Amino acid sequence: MSGNAYQDDRGNKDRSITKAGGPGSAEGAMRKGKAVPAPGGPFLIGENMTGGYGKGPNILEACTIAVDKGEIAVIVGPNGAGKSTAMKAVFGMLDLREGSVRLDGEDITALSPQARVVKGMGFVPQTSNIFTSLTVEENLEMGAFIRRDDFSETMEQILDLFPILREKRRQAAGELSGGQRQQVAVGRALMTKPKVLMLDEPTAGVSPIVMDELFDRIIEVARTGIPILMVEQNARQALEIADKGYVLVQGMNAYSGTGKDLLADPEVRKSFLGG
């Protein structure tokens, strides 16, 4: 494969990638209440997820989150709404009392997070997501721990996607800025050649300029066909690039639809986007 797989010509060139009827269009008209998955079954779905941590109370109540190939699905909502918990439930870090998780048609509900990585799930947590004492290059190499093939081509693609990492590849990751660390974390997840990429608040604590740059790179990855499921605190900006959007409140689906529809809905704007 020639060139950079993360910088091809596929996908909508518009930054919003929410063009109605275009590739990766979402669920159609926005739905209030319980989310309904698309007909035929999405590539990744956590369906009717109810559960909490250990023996504690339920944090999620019949929550459904889904994303298909080439799509960006964004989970937004107020603090304490269960956004990151929903992401962790899909990744197997939460005990589900009801519901299921399916990846490419396979029920993976009973699998551990480690087994889900082998199945093709790449997960980038919000914090503690790099090895600070290792170099940038060593961090990326750590991402290829499950591979037995030559990963040098993937390494080059990631360094092309994040040019600053090529410049700083010999530098300790702990010396990087917050935005650069996030690029390392995303790059390490991409080193596994994941079937789906999950990002928990990738722009937390970074400047608006860096946030825009990260979102641009996320769009490029989605254009290659990799589904991206993302929790984001910058709701308005995230919905601008989203094919699907899920607004959670108290662990339940409050609104769902295309990013464009959610941005246009007056109730969503008033309650969650500052008017």
Side-chain angles (χ1 to χ4, degrees), residues 15 72 161-162 164-165 177-187 197 199 201-222 228 230 232 234 241:
R15 176 170 164 75
I72 298 174
L161 179 68
F162 300 116
I164 191 65
L165 301 188
S177 68
Q180 292 166 357
R181 291 186 183 202
Q182 287 295 82
Q183 293 180 50
V184 173
V186 173
L197 182 62
L199 308 173
E201 302 208 11
T203 68
V206 304
S207 69
I209 293 176
V210 174
M211 177 182 67
D212 287 343
E213 291 176 351
L214 282 169
F215 280 165
D216 285 342
R217 302 294 83 76
I218 289 167
I219 291 170
E220 289 176 19
V221 173
I228 294 177
M230 179 170 64
E232 205 16 90
N234 296 298
I241 71 167

Side-chain angles (χ1 to χ4, degrees), residues 139-169:
N139 267 273
L140 296 178
E141 290 172 346
M142 289 291 287
F145 73 102
I146 64 171
R147 296 179 57 175
R148 297 295 179 264
D149 61 331
D150 182 0
F151 55 78
S152 58
E153 183 177 10
T154 308
M155 175 78 78
E156 285 301 308
Q157 291 168 351
I158 290 167
L159 294 177
D160 286 343
L161 179 68
F162 300 116
I164 191 65
L165 301 188
R166 184 184 296 279
E167 178 184 329
K168 296 180 178 293
R169 63 192 300 173

Side-chain angles (χ1 to χ4, degrees), residues 115-152:
R116 296 183 197 210
V117 171
V118 175
K119 287 288 185 180
M121 298 180 78
F123 178 67
V124 180
Q126 180 183 353
T127 59
S128 302
N129 54 21
I130 63 168
F131 299 100
T132 57
S133 62
L134 300 182
T135 67
V136 167
E137 188 171 46
E138 288 169 340
N139 267 273
L140 296 178
E141 290 172 346
M142 289 291 287
F145 73 102
I146 64 171
R147 296 179 57 175
R148 297 295 179 264
D149 61 331
D150 182 0
F151 55 78
S152 58

Side-chain angles (χ1 to χ4, degrees), residues 74-94:
V74 174
I75 307 170
V76 299
N79 291 337
K83 303 184 296 295
S84 293
T85 301
M87 173 84 78
K88 291 174 181 177
V90 173
F91 191 57
M93 298 174 68
L94 186 80

